[in-house]
Amino acid sequence: MLTQTTTRVLEPSDLDAALVVLDREPVVNAFVTARVRVAGLDPWRLGGEMWGWYEDGMLQSLCYAGANLVPICATDRAVRGFADRARRAGRRCSSIVGPAEPTALLWRLLEPSWGPAREVRAQQPLMVTDRLPADVTPDPYVRRIRKDEMDTIMPACVAMFTEEVGVSPLAGDGGLLYQARVAELVGSGRSFARLDEHGKVMFKAEIGAATDQACQIQGVWVAPEYRGRGLAAPGMAAVLRYALADVAPVVSLYVNDFNTPARAAYRRVGFEEVGAFMSILF
């Protein structure tokens, strides 16, 4: 039996169908779902296009094509269709990121024309929890960052990003887009930190993507001079308490497989590995 397949750029009128696909995997898709629920499918508001993969007229898979290229609920056939479209369009993204298996296939198909990558992180454990730890007391000094504390939190955010990604977020546009994103998280009450007696950030983390079903912690960072002092687990427990109380019933994050201390801290506060992401950085 032959199956008619096609890919196309979704339009605002396709929003309901796209949300049906996104809601199949609410934890894995939290990043994209959060953007779509706020911005819809208009490319200007969304910050990129949403590609759809259809089989026999039914929307089956998605691919977000913006600053990141993100395959969503993507079958092998859908990944091949998305790779063809991406190859024709040329690389416009700074990374490819998504569930490890479809992302690996997408990269194998795109590498001959888009490669080489600056870095490939093939296994980034996806970790999830829906409860507070019984044996880790949340750090009482971790709190929400106020809008008037942007000058306090911004250097820590830049340091974290540079350490994690390998390039400064201030490159290119002078950091305007990155500063706007940090300001958005601060303004929405999803930026958290512990400050020392001099007002310097000791520990920080943000609740990045957030939907009614799941949210994602990101940007976890301990200042170098405070590492090894046991700040990470109580700090994460504090952020987790805020997330579960105010944001969503399930909290997730993903971490580099080589970051042994971070994975240990996350496990200590109850996060369990349920899958893996993959990131290709350009």
Side-chain angles (χ1 to χ4, degrees):
M1 178 178 177
L2 295 177
T3 302
Q4 297 294 320
T5 62
T6 188
T7 63
R8 69 173 177 88
V9 178
L10 299 188
E11 300 176 354
S13 59
D14 298 308
L15 178 59
D16 288 345
L19 288 172
V20 169
V21 176
L22 287 164
D23 286 345
R24 286 186 208 150
E25 299 180 20
V27 173
V28 173
N29 298 333
F31 166 71
V32 177
T33 304
R35 294 182 68 95
V36 169
R37 288 197 176 275
V38 170
L41 294 178
D42 176 76
W44 186 84
R45 295 186 62 218
L46 186 60
E49 295 178 339
M50 186 69 79
W51 301 341
W53 168 261
Y54 288 81
E55 295 190 15
D56 291 335
M58 296 294 295
L59 182 63
Q60 299 292 344
S61 302
L62 303 170
C63 186
Y64 172 71
N68 318 106
L69 190 67
V70 186
I72 301 155
C73 298
T75 64
D76 285 359
R77 296 179 74 187
V79 169
R80 294 181 187 280
F82 295 143
D84 288 342
R85 178 174 284 272
R87 195 182 301 109
R88 292 195 303 270
R91 184 176 71 81
R92 303 171 186 173
C93 59
S94 60
S95 67
I96 305 172
V97 60
E101 187 173 338
T103 303
L105 175 58
L106 184 58
W107 177 232
R108 285 199 299 272
L109 296 170
L110 289 175
E111 185 177 11
S113 55
W114 280 21
R118 178 170 59 84
E119 186 175 356
V120 175
R121 299 178 180 179
Q123 283 289 319
Q124 297 174 297
L126 173 65
M127 306 183 75
V128 171
T129 188
D130 61 0
R131 66 200 65 190
L132 289 172
D135 57 351
V136 178
T137 301
D139 187 335
Y141 296 102
V142 171
R143 60 170 177 83
R144 282 188 168 95
I145 292 297
R146 303 187 306 266
K147 293 180 182 179
D148 64 352
E149 294 177 310
M150 275 292 294
D151 289 344
T152 297
I153 198 65
M154 192 66 187
C157 291
V158 170
M160 177 281 304
F161 187 100
T162 304
E163 186 176 335
E164 170 67 17
V165 179
V167 297
S168 171
L170 305 182
D173 66 352
L176 294 177
L177 286 175
Y178 186 70
Q179 184 167 349
R181 176 57 176 159
V182 173
E184 177 189 348
L185 292 171
V186 170
S188 62
R190 304 210 308 267
S191 175
F192 303 87
R194 175 177 176 171
L195 309 183
D196 66 15
E197 64 271 22
H198 305 294
K200 183 178 178 181
V201 174
M202 304 167 67
F203 164 90
K204 79 159 196 76
E206 296 92 39
I207 301 171
T211 72
D212 291 341
Q213 296 172 281
C215 65
Q216 188 178 85
I217 293 177
Q218 64 176 40
V220 181
W221 184 79
V222 176
E225 62 268 33
Y226 288 105
R227 291 174 188 173
R229 300 190 187 184
L231 291 176
M236 282 297 296
V239 177
L240 181 59
R241 180 176 59 187
Y242 283 110
L244 290 171
D246 301 340
V247 184
V250 177
V251 183
S252 72
L253 56 83
Y254 64 98
V255 58
N256 293 315
D257 59 352
F258 53 79
N259 194 341
T260 303
R263 292 173 69 182
Y266 301 151
R267 284 194 296 268
R268 190 177 169 206
V269 295
F271 282 90
E272 297 180 354
E273 296 182 9
V274 298
F277 273 55
M278 177 178 183
S279 297
I280 298 95
L281 309 178
F282 299 105

